[in-house]
Amino acid sequence: MKFGTKTIHAGQKPDPTTGAIMTPVYQTSTYIQSSPGQHSGFEYSRTGNPTRKVLEDNIAALENGKYGLCFGSGLAAIDAVIKLLKPGDEVISTNDLYGGTYRLFTKIFENYGIKFHFIGMENLSNIDNYINKNTKLIWAETPTNPMLNIIDIEMLATISKKHNLTLVVDNTFATPYIQKPLELGADIVMHSLTKYMGGHSDVVMGALICNSEEIAEKLFFIQNSCGAVPGPMDSFLVLRGIKTLHIRMERHCQNGEKIAGFLINHPKVEGVYWPGLKSHKNHNVAKKQMHGFGGMVSFDLKGNNLEDAKKVVENTKYFTLAESLGGVESLCGHPASMTHAAIPKNEREKTGVVDSLIRLSVGIEDIEDLIEDLDSSLSLLV
Ligand code: P1T
């Protein structure tokens, strides 16, 4: 089955009891047992729910993985992964990553004795220096949030396997339409389904996908024991959103390219970060492992002035100033004060998250309107 067919059909059959084409919202917390322990596959909705199960199977199929698990948010999915570890274990993570992930690692899990090393992974030549006998897991976002750095997943997987580590790739920015980390050697793929997968800015949810039965069993145990599961209505909404993922992503990629092209020629703009640009430092890796370059574009301003950045994001009309990304509508954000405020200023500036950095989630509106919107907002700068 090809990708576009999978988005619509994988894991989904007409409902056996009514013939309903769309997966019903099984709004139930519990299920009949004919005798203690005798049931038809579901016993309690924290452990499993039929609507959630269809979504989990669908997402696993999209990533070409065997097992899928959904969580109440992207962060709840990340939380479940780090719970695979024990005090004393160490993690190597990309240094450019979602601020909430950084906060979870440093403000929650460091208190439980897990150590995190944040390093740039655009060049993997010195990663061995950070691996020791306690290292258990590598956490990679690619493209990274918000600098759109690209990490060579295949090369990272080779290093990870050599040292017997678990490689986790946060595939939120790319989606499986653009990139399939399991095929490139990753052990676990993580998603904030809140973003492109849901696609309509109406649900908060996360997911994990893997191929190893051993890892899947551990994750199912954590999912059920800790209980950060999504409800059936939200699962239904994400299933519905995914049906158009391939079509939406095509348009996000097209619009992303046009916006990056517009910005790179703009006299007020200093740098443009989008993996499809030939000037992007890992454009060749992006070309190798991605099928399209996505709709996330970041840029900073000449003079690196905070007030200028505020003026731009406060005056756009279609690019709404808001947290989040990946919906059909365009959003803009100011990472330093919004999504990445949890990262100390000196740390974030090392990775390029400067005061004038603006992050765009380019939606699927008509490109002429989006360019006109940015043009008129940037023209307010003197
Ligand atoms: O928001 P939540 O569904 O919990 O997902 C967290 C998360 C994980 N990974 C990446 C790459 C993310 O971008 C996010 C959430 N990001 C935003 C809310 C944001 O505006 O960047």
Side-chain angles (χ1 to χ4, degrees):
M1 209 192 292
K2 292 213 173 356
F3 190 86
T5 312
K6 279 187 188 173
T7 62
I8 296 162
H9 293 287
Q12 301 170 59
K13 291 194 199 81
D15 182 50
T17 48
T18 62
I21 298 292
M22 288 302 124
T23 304
V25 181
Y26 284 94
Q27 194 73 50
T28 183
S29 60
T30 192
Y31 308 82
I32 190 168
Q33 306 200 4
S34 55
S35 169
Q38 298 297 308
H39 52 74
S40 44
F42 295 93
E43 51 190 319
Y44 186 57
S45 276
R46 170 163 35 70
T47 317
N49 171 282
T51 317
R52 187 178 101 212
K53 175 80 172 90
V54 171
L55 175 62
E56 292 177 330
D57 289 350
N58 179 261
I59 289 170
L62 294 182
E63 286 285 2
N64 287 344
K66 282 195 193 145
Y67 306 97
L69 300 94
C70 287
F71 293 84
S73 67
L75 279 175
I78 301 171
D79 177 84
V81 172
I82 305 302
K83 283 174 177 160
L84 293 169
L85 305 179
K86 296 197 174 57
D89 287 348
E90 298 190 12
V91 176
I92 299 175
S93 165
T94 29
N95 60 356
D96 185 48
L97 77 170
Y98 172 52
T101 308
Y102 178 89
R103 184 177 55 203
L104 177 65
F105 289 171
T106 56
K107 297 281 191 274
I108 304 288
F109 280 110
E110 280 193 354
N111 291 335
Y112 291 85
I114 295 166
K115 198 166 164 189
F116 295 85
H117 303 273
F118 296 95
I119 66 167
M121 293 188 192
E122 303 86 76
N123 176 348
L124 291 167
S125 59
N126 66 351
I127 190 168
D128 278 329
N129 298 344
Y130 294 88
I131 298 176
N132 62 45
K133 65 176 180 5
N134 296 323
T135 312
K136 295 285 154 49
L137 189 139
I138 299 180
W139 187 272
E141 259 183 31
T142 184
T144 62
N145 181 359
M147 295 308 298
L148 285 306
N149 290 321
I150 298 296
I151 296 155
D152 189 328
I153 300 174
E154 211 167 7
M155 198 183 282
L156 194 57
T158 306
I159 296 166
S160 175
K161 282 192 175 61
K162 186 172 97 192
H163 296 277
N164 208 14
L165 310 177
T166 303
L167 172 61
V168 191
V169 174
D170 182 335
N171 204 24
T172 299
F173 269 33
T175 82
Y177 174 78
I178 287 184
Q179 166 176 288
K180 295 191 184 61
L182 294 179
E183 288 186 348
L184 298 168
D187 300 294
I188 303 176
V189 171
M190 178 264 151
H191 277 284
S192 169
L193 301 178
T194 316
K195 311 297 187 302
Y196 289 106
M197 299 289 271
H200 297 77
S201 305
D202 49 11
V203 176
V204 172
M205 203 189 293
L208 301 173
I209 304 99
C210 65
N211 272 323
S212 147
E213 189 178 351
E214 188 191 340
I215 294 177
E217 270 177 13
K218 287 182 186 163
L219 291 172
F220 280 126
F221 183 80
I222 292 167
Q223 183 194 39
N224 187 39
S225 304
C226 299
V229 292
M233 185 65 209
D234 283 359
S235 300
F236 171 87
L237 285 171
V238 175
L239 263 175
R240 187 171 71 164
I242 284 177
K243 287 180 192 293
T244 54
L245 177 67
H246 50 309
I247 306 293
R248 287 187 282 109
M249 290 314 293
E250 260 172 47
R251 181 65 97 88
H252 282 297
C253 291
Q254 284 164 12
N255 282 358
E257 179 173 7
K258 298 214 170 94
I259 293 289
F262 163 75
L263 288 170
I264 206 158
N265 292 316
H266 199 283
K268 302 282 190 236
V269 171
E270 176 71 39
V272 180
Y273 309 96
W274 185 67
L277 290 172
K278 287 203 176 60
S279 56
H280 186 284
K281 58 187 170 210
N282 269 351
H283 176 62
N284 284 338
V285 180
K287 266 202 326 209
K288 184 179 74 166
Q289 69 186 21
M290 298 170 80
H291 163 72
F293 303 105
M296 296 302 296
V297 182
S298 293
F299 65 102
D300 46 25
L301 300 171
K302 292 225 163 87
N304 190 28
N305 186 323
L306 173 65
E307 291 312 311
D308 283 350
K310 278 193 185 160
K311 198 180 261 177
V312 174
V313 295
E314 284 168 3
N315 285 287
T316 44
K317 121 178 122 173
Y318 301 123
F319 282 93
T320 309
L321 178 59
E323 304 256 349
S324 205
L325 58 110
V328 288
E329 66 292 318
S330 292
L331 299 180
C332 62
H334 182 248
S337 61
M338 295 168 68
T339 47
H340 293 70
I343 305 179
K345 187 174 163 73
N346 63 328
E347 287 298 319
R348 68 172 160 77
E349 286 193 339
K350 274 190 229 159
T351 64
V353 186
V354 294
D355 283 348
S356 73
L357 187 82
I358 294 170
R359 190 190 73 181
L360 303 176
S361 172
V362 182
I364 63 171
E365 301 95 334
D366 284 310
I367 190 65
E368 295 80 4
D369 291 328
L370 296 182
I371 289 180
E372 191 188 298
D373 190 24
L374 281 180
D375 201 20
S376 82
S377 188
L378 282 164
S379 73
L380 301 173
L381 304 181
V382 282

